[in-house]
Amino acid sequence: MNGPPKSPETGQGPRVEEIPEGDDRLRLVCPDCGFIHYDNPKMVVGAVVRYGDRILLCRRAIAPRKGYWTLPAGYLELNEAPHEGAAREAWEEAYAKINIDSLLAVYSIPRLSQVQLIYRATLLDEDVKPGLESLAVGLFRWEEIPWPDIAFPTVHWALHHDRELGQTQVFEPRTNPPGSSDRP
Amino acid sequence: MNGPPKSPETGQGPRVEEIPEGDDRLRLVCPDCGFIHYDNPKMVVGAVVRYGDRILLCRRAIAPRKGYWTLPAGYLELNEAPHEGAAREAWEEAYAKINIDSLLAVYSIPRLSQVQLIYRATLLDEDVKPGLESLAVGLFRWEEIPWPDIAFPTVHWALHHDRELGQTQVFEPRTNPPGSSDRP
């Protein structure tokens, strides 16, 4: 996962707000070297990975929400297509070999400048195990999902959207549910 | 639109490739101030905007592909949902008031570390005019579209995908067409 700029912690790097020449928005500029930090929204890619009637979840080994359960997901890397990133994250977090089936949802969290592309996927081999960023991984039937220990609202959304769609093959990708604080 | 880091032009800012502690990929680090530049893929948001049987196109006033025709589209800004960004771009580039209808396509251009979310939208008011980044704007019937002067392959893809879908309301978002160099 890529982190945010390190300026707040170190007091270094781009830390002065200015509107650069030819621009129309405030950007962080480094007073030491003049570097302009063009910050952009970040894309998270992940998947609801199914193996029969069970769904793959990973228990987070890292902050935020360490110890809580999540879908395999993470930041899209440079030079990577979203579906490739989702498959990579499943491998990194759970050594899961998956087949991407369709785009389940596009969630947006403007507060965090984050857009999530969550796919539906099929697990090709039941043999999963924790990657470096997971304390544990598991395959859960719906009633076995550790609901009180789910890491993020978007994981709730994706699990419910996937279940509501059932066997539906052709559908419009879901978006933030009504009433969510970050409804698009 | 947000630009790339300015280091190559100025010789300043993050310009040394290092793997930061706790990371597993090369990042650009500034040797003067220690700032780590975590570069991420960028999201472009745009729309195929329809007014009856005509489609809104904008003639670019800026590089790249100045003078060529494109859909209203641009980089998603911080704290912005994708559908909001698409509506903002239509306004900025063509003073077009639009209603976002559905997600037409997710295109990825890994070579440019770019993901495009292109929506289908309806123009609410025929009164459009060029914004700062457009030399001209126009509403085109299919046979009137200036095909030789289209700015980018993704504009071709989106126009054809929109046409193929016709009146279809529920569909899986389209992706890069087969045989395209950046097929996901």
Side-chain angles (χ1 to χ4, degrees):
Chain A
M1 287 212 174
N2 308 349
K6 289 294 177 289
S7 348
E9 292 79 23
T10 64
Q12 291 181 313
R15 59 190 182 275
V16 179
E17 284 199 326
E18 285 179 20
I19 299 179
E21 201 183 318
D23 201 344
D24 61 356
R25 289 178 188 244
L26 284 169
R27 314 285 179 186
L28 284 177
V29 178
C30 179
D32 303 323
C33 74
F35 178 73
I36 304 165
H37 182 66
Y38 287 94
D39 202 8
N40 293 96
K42 293 191 176 43
M43 235 172 309
V44 166
V45 290
V48 176
V49 179
R50 289 193 158 275
Y51 191 78
D53 63 346
R54 292 179 296 163
I55 291 170
L56 175 65
L57 294 176
C58 308
R59 200 168 163 227
R60 292 174 61 81
I62 53 171
R65 301 290 277 163
K66 183 176 172 177
Y68 288 80
W69 292 87
T70 189
L71 299 171
Y75 288 117
L76 186 66
E77 286 285 356
L78 293 176
N79 308 121
E80 190 175 55
H83 71 289
E84 291 168 351
R88 174 184 53 73
E89 289 288 345
W91 177 256
E92 287 182 2
E93 297 184 0
Y95 292 100
K97 288 176 211 147
I98 69 172
N99 185 61
I100 300 286
D101 299 321
S102 56
L103 181 62
L104 173 66
V106 177
Y107 302 128
S108 63
I109 304 137
R111 180 175 52 86
L112 303 177
S113 292
Q114 193 182 94
V115 175
Q116 300 197 358
L117 299 186
I118 307 296
Y119 291 86
R120 288 182 126 182
T122 307
L123 184 62
L124 300 176
D125 177 349
E126 197 178 0
D127 186 25
V128 293
K129 62 184 180 184
L132 280 177
E133 296 184 358
S134 305
L135 296 170
V137 300
L139 292 166
F140 296 85
R141 289 191 179 79
W142 185 257
E143 60 277 9
E144 296 167 346
I145 291 173
W147 295 109
D149 295 326
I150 292 293
F152 307 108
T154 49
V155 176
H156 279 276
W157 301 352
L159 289 169
H160 282 89
H161 280 149
D162 177 70
R163 185 170 174 87
E164 284 158 23
L165 283 164
Q167 300 299 315
T168 308
Q169 296 291 316
V170 176
F171 55 88
E172 203 176 340
R174 278 28 198 168
T175 55
N176 299 25
S180 71
S181 58
D182 282 301
R183 175 148 173 70
Chain B
M1 289 215 175
N2 306 349
K6 288 294 176 287
S7 350
E9 292 79 24
T10 63
Q12 290 182 313
R15 59 191 182 273
V16 178
E17 284 199 325
E18 285 178 20
I19 298 179
E21 201 182 317
D23 202 343
D24 62 354
R25 289 178 188 243
L26 285 169
R27 313 286 179 186
L28 285 177
V29 178
C30 179
D32 303 324
C33 74
F35 177 73
I36 304 165
H37 182 64
Y38 287 95
D39 202 8
N40 294 97
K42 293 191 175 44
M43 234 171 310
V44 166
V45 290
V48 176
V49 178
R50 289 194 158 274
Y51 191 78
D53 62 349
R54 291 179 296 162
I55 292 170
L56 176 65
L57 295 176
C58 307
R59 198 165 166 231
R60 292 174 61 81
I62 54 170
R65 302 290 277 163
K66 182 175 172 179
Y68 288 80
W69 292 87
T70 189
L71 299 170
Y75 288 117
L76 186 67
E77 286 285 355
L78 292 176
N79 308 120
E80 189 174 56
H83 70 289
E84 291 168 351
R88 173 184 52 74
E89 290 287 345
W91 178 256
E92 288 182 2
E93 299 185 358
Y95 293 99
K97 288 178 210 145
I98 68 173
N99 185 60
I100 299 286
D101 300 320
S102 57
L103 181 61
L104 172 66
V106 178
Y107 302 128
S108 64
I109 304 137
R111 179 175 52 88
L112 302 177
S113 293
Q114 193 182 94
V115 174
Q116 300 196 359
L117 300 187
I118 307 296
Y119 291 86
R120 287 183 125 181
T122 306
L123 184 62
L124 300 176
D125 177 348
E126 197 178 0
D127 186 24
V128 293
K129 61 184 180 185
L132 280 179
E133 297 184 357
S134 305
L135 295 170
V137 300
L139 292 165
F140 296 85
R141 290 191 178 80
W142 184 257
E143 60 277 10
E144 297 167 346
I145 291 173
W147 295 109
D149 295 326
I150 292 295
F152 307 109
T154 48
V155 176
H156 279 277
W157 302 351
L159 289 170
H160 282 89
H161 280 150
D162 178 69
R163 185 170 174 86
E164 285 157 23
L165 282 164
Q167 300 299 315
T168 309
Q169 296 291 314
V170 177
F171 56 87
E172 204 176 339
R174 276 31 196 168
T175 55
N176 299 27
S180 71
S181 59
D182 282 301
R183 174 150 172 70

